[in-house]
């Protein structure tokens, strides 16, 4: 009983400090999802409608970032690329030595590989006749893709996009390895001091569960809001 009370007290005392890591974790997720979306959409368009060379380059990008573990990428980027760039005087004004910036970039580039495949699948599921009809009306490929294909594909991709959010949230816990003071980093620091890893780990797990639940619920609301009543695409048309 005494051990339980000690563990509970340690968790309670550490809670404000660990909760402060939520801002860092949320920043990592928001930044990485934004980078992944900004790169993932054009990569998906190139993968579906691009020339053979562009498709091969996109496939190579996806293969590289999906095949190399996040932890390896964080080390290579933070201790390699960013460390090298930070020594260039012309780039001294950029926060290249920031672990947070490195983590956002690495998570964002990796998420772009996954998001591109999510959006590619959504585009491929749309009726091919729509694009042909747009061309018949005199639209260019770029205009037809931007105004007809993407609005539908982005709606269809939201359920799979919510899965990417939950995966990216869990991957963000690895950012502690390069000094980002997110939830997991603070939990480990407090556990090393109090020698009470179990209750603190349970607290961290509860916080990640809450963020996963809240994010997926928000995306489900977004899906319901942008859904077009009575709309059902038929990929065979």
């Amino acid at each position: 009983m005494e051990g339980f009370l000690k563990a509970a007290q340690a968790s309670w005392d550490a809670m404000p400090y660990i909760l402060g890591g939520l801002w860092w974790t949320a920043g990592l997720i928001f930044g990485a999802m934004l980078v992944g979306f900004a790169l993932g959409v054009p990569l998906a368009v190139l993968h579906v409608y691009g020339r053979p060379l562009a498709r091969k380059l996109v496939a190579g990008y996806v293969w590289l970032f999906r095949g190399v573990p996040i932890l390896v990428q964080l080390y290579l980027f933070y201790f390699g690329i960013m460390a090298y760039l930070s020594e260039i005087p012309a780039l001294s004004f950029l926060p290249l030595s920031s672990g947070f910036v490195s983590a956002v970039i690495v998570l964002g580039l990796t998420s772009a590989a996954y998001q591109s495949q999510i959006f590619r699948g959504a585009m491929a599921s749309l009726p091919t006749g729509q694009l042909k009809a747009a061309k018949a009306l005199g639209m260019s490929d770029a205009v037809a893709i931007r105004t007809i294909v993407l609005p539908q594909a982005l709606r269809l991709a939201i359920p799979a996009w919510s899965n990417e959010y939950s995966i990216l949230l869990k991957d963000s816990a690895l950012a502690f390895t390069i000094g980002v003071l997110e939830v997991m980093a603070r939990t480990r620091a407090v556990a090393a001091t109090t020698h009470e890893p179990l209750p603190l780990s349970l607290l961290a797990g509860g916080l990640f569960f809450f963020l996963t639940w809240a994010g997926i619920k928000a995306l489900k609301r977004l899906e319901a809001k942008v859904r077009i009543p009575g709309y059902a695409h038929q990929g065979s048309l």
Side-chain angles (χ1 to χ4, degrees), residues 3 6 8-9 12 31 38 49 72 93 102 111 143 145 153 167 189 194 198:
K6 181 181 177 182
Q9 185 63 42
W12 178 259
Y49 302 108
V72 175
F93 66 96
S102 295
S111 181
V143 173
I145 292 171
I167 293 172
T194 62
L198 181 57

Side-chain angles (χ1 to χ4, degrees), residues 10-171:
S11 300
W12 178 259
D13 294 340
M15 189 174 296
Y17 178 71
I18 295 176
L19 288 176
L22 286 174
W23 295 106
W24 291 91
T25 298
L28 286 172
I29 300 305
F30 179 79
M33 289 290 285
L34 186 62
V35 172
F37 180 81
L39 295 177
V41 171
L43 286 174
V45 172
L46 289 175
H47 207 164
V48 177
Y49 302 108
R51 297 181 181 276
L53 178 59
R55 295 182 184 181
K56 290 182 179 180
L57 291 175
V58 173
Y61 175 92
V62 172
W63 176 82
L64 175 64
F65 282 94
R66 292 176 66 177
V68 180
I70 295 289
L71 186 59
V72 175
Q73 294 183 45
L74 286 172
Y75 283 160
L76 289 176
F77 201 86
Y78 182 66
F79 296 109
I81 297 175
M82 296 296 268
Y84 172 77
L85 293 177
S86 63
E87 296 178 357
I88 300 177
L91 301 177
S92 59
F93 66 96
L94 296 174
L96 299 176
S97 60
S98 169
F100 178 82
V101 174
S102 295
V104 168
I105 293 175
V106 168
L107 292 172
L109 292 176
T110 303
S111 181
Y114 286 95
Q115 290 192 47
S116 69
Q117 298 309 290
I118 292 172
F119 299 135
R120 180 184 68 84
M123 292 178 192
S125 70
L126 295 174
T128 57
Q130 292 186 2
L131 198 57
K132 294 178 181 178
K135 290 182 179 181
L137 292 174
M139 290 186 181
S140 64
D141 288 345
V143 173
I145 292 171
R146 187 178 71 251
T147 60
I148 296 176
V149 174
L150 282 180
Q152 298 178 77
L154 293 179
R155 288 185 175 94
L156 296 174
I158 292 177
W161 205 50
S162 64
N163 291 334
E164 172 61 15
Y165 164 80
S166 61
I167 293 172
L168 193 59
L169 174 60
K170 290 187 280 286
D171 287 341

